[in-house]
Amino acid sequence: MVREDGSKSTVINISSDNVPKDFITWSTFNTVFMNSCCLGFIAYIFSVKSRDRKMVGDVNGAQDYATTAKRLNIAAVIVSIVSFIVLIIVISQQK
Protein backbone atom coordinates (compact mmCIF):
# COMPACT_ATOMS: atom_id res chain seq x y z
CA MET A 1 0.00 0.00 0.00
CA VAL A 2 1.47 3.34 -1.06
CA ARG A 3 0.30 6.63 0.39
CA GLU A 4 -0.10 9.85 -1.58
CA ASP A 5 3.19 11.24 -0.24
CA GLY A 6 5.09 8.19 -1.54
CA SER A 7 5.67 6.46 1.81
CA LYS A 8 4.76 2.82 2.28
CA SER A 9 2.74 1.34 5.10
CA THR A 10 2.26 -2.23 6.24
CA VAL A 11 -0.99 -3.82 7.31
CA ILE A 12 -0.90 -6.90 9.54
CA ASN A 13 -4.02 -9.02 9.76
CA ILE A 14 -4.29 -11.03 12.98
CA SER A 15 -6.32 -14.19 12.72
CA SER A 16 -8.65 -14.76 15.66
CA ASP A 17 -9.24 -18.43 14.84
CA ASN A 18 -6.71 -19.87 17.25
CA VAL A 19 -6.75 -17.29 20.05
CA PRO A 20 -6.95 -19.14 23.40
CA LYS A 21 -9.41 -18.18 26.11
CA ASP A 22 -7.80 -16.65 29.16
CA PHE A 23 -10.56 -17.43 31.74
CA ILE A 24 -10.14 -14.02 33.39
CA THR A 25 -13.84 -13.72 34.32
CA TRP A 26 -13.98 -17.15 35.91
CA SER A 27 -10.73 -16.46 37.78
CA THR A 28 -12.07 -13.14 39.07
CA PHE A 29 -15.25 -14.84 40.31
CA ASN A 30 -13.22 -17.54 42.06
CA THR A 31 -10.93 -14.93 43.59
CA VAL A 32 -13.83 -13.00 45.07
CA PHE A 33 -16.23 -15.79 46.05
CA MET A 34 -14.41 -19.15 46.06
CA ASN A 35 -10.85 -18.42 47.13
CA SER A 36 -10.17 -21.65 49.02
CA CYS A 37 -6.45 -22.12 49.64
CA CYS A 38 -5.85 -19.04 47.44
CA LEU A 39 -6.48 -21.15 44.32
CA GLY A 40 -8.75 -18.48 42.84
CA PHE A 41 -6.08 -15.80 43.22
CA ILE A 42 -3.39 -18.01 41.70
CA ALA A 43 -5.74 -18.79 38.80
CA TYR A 44 -6.26 -15.06 38.35
CA ILE A 45 -2.50 -14.54 38.11
CA PHE A 46 -2.20 -17.22 35.43
CA SER A 47 -5.17 -15.71 33.56
CA VAL A 48 -3.46 -12.32 33.49
CA LYS A 49 -0.24 -13.96 32.29
CA SER A 50 -2.23 -15.71 29.57
CA ARG A 51 -3.76 -12.42 28.48
CA ASP A 52 -0.32 -10.77 28.42
CA ARG A 53 1.12 -13.58 26.28
CA LYS A 54 -1.86 -13.28 23.94
CA MET A 55 -1.28 -9.54 23.52
CA VAL A 56 2.39 -10.12 22.69
CA GLY A 57 1.46 -12.74 20.10
CA ASP A 58 2.81 -15.82 21.89
CA VAL A 59 -0.13 -18.15 21.29
CA ASN A 60 1.59 -21.25 22.70
CA GLY A 61 2.59 -19.47 25.91
CA ALA A 62 -0.91 -18.04 26.24
CA GLN A 63 -2.40 -21.50 25.78
CA ASP A 64 -0.13 -22.97 28.48
CA TYR A 65 -1.03 -20.27 31.00
CA ALA A 66 -4.74 -20.56 30.09
CA THR A 67 -4.68 -24.32 30.63
CA THR A 68 -3.10 -23.85 34.05
CA ALA A 69 -5.64 -21.16 34.94
CA LYS A 70 -8.50 -23.43 33.87
CA ARG A 71 -7.22 -26.30 36.00
CA LEU A 72 -6.74 -24.04 39.01
CA ASN A 73 -10.27 -22.65 38.57
CA ILE A 74 -11.69 -26.17 38.49
CA ALA A 75 -9.72 -27.06 41.61
CA ALA A 76 -10.90 -23.88 43.36
CA VAL A 77 -14.55 -24.67 42.62
CA ILE A 78 -14.23 -28.30 43.75
CA VAL A 79 -12.38 -27.43 46.97
CA SER A 80 -14.85 -24.65 47.79
CA ILE A 81 -17.92 -26.83 47.20
CA VAL A 82 -16.49 -29.72 49.22
CA SER A 83 -15.53 -27.33 52.04
CA PHE A 84 -19.02 -25.84 52.03
CA ILE A 85 -20.64 -29.28 52.19
CA VAL A 86 -18.35 -30.35 55.04
CA LEU A 87 -19.16 -27.11 56.87
CA ILE A 88 -22.88 -27.75 56.51
CA ILE A 89 -22.48 -31.31 57.80
CA VAL A 90 -20.43 -30.17 60.81
CA ILE A 91 -22.90 -27.44 61.70
CA SER A 92 -25.89 -29.78 61.33
CA GLN A 93 -24.23 -32.37 63.60
CA GLN A 94 -23.78 -29.84 66.38
CA LYS A 95 -27.49 -29.09 66.76
Side-chain angles (χ1 to χ4, degrees):
M1 181 172 166
V2 178
R3 296 183 185 177
E4 293 178 12
D5 60 359
S7 64
K8 293 183 180 182
S9 65
T10 304
V11 177
I12 299 174
N13 293 324
I14 299 174
S15 175
S16 64
D17 295 337
N18 54 356
V19 177
K21 296 174 85 174
D22 54 15
F23 303 106
I24 195 87
T25 307
W26 190 12
S27 298
T28 303
F29 176 81
N30 283 339
T31 300
V32 174
F33 296 109
M34 300 183 152
N35 201 17
S36 296
C37 303
C38 294
L39 290 174
F41 182 68
I42 297 169
Y44 182 78
I45 291 170
F46 277 95
S47 295
V48 170
K49 286 184 177 184
S50 174
R51 182 169 281 187
D52 290 344
R53 292 283 95 205
K54 186 168 52 172
M55 292 298 170
V56 174
D58 181 12
V59 177
N60 291 331
Q63 184 64 44
D64 290 340
Y65 282 126
T67 301
T68 304
K70 180 181 178 181
R71 290 177 181 164
L72 286 169
N73 280 321
I74 291 170
V77 168
I78 290 172
V79 169
S80 295
I81 289 173
V82 169
S83 299
F84 186 68
I85 290 171
V86 168
L87 182 69
I88 289 173
I89 291 171
V90 168
I91 290 173
S92 67
Q93 294 294 325
Q94 291 178 355
K95 292 183 181 182

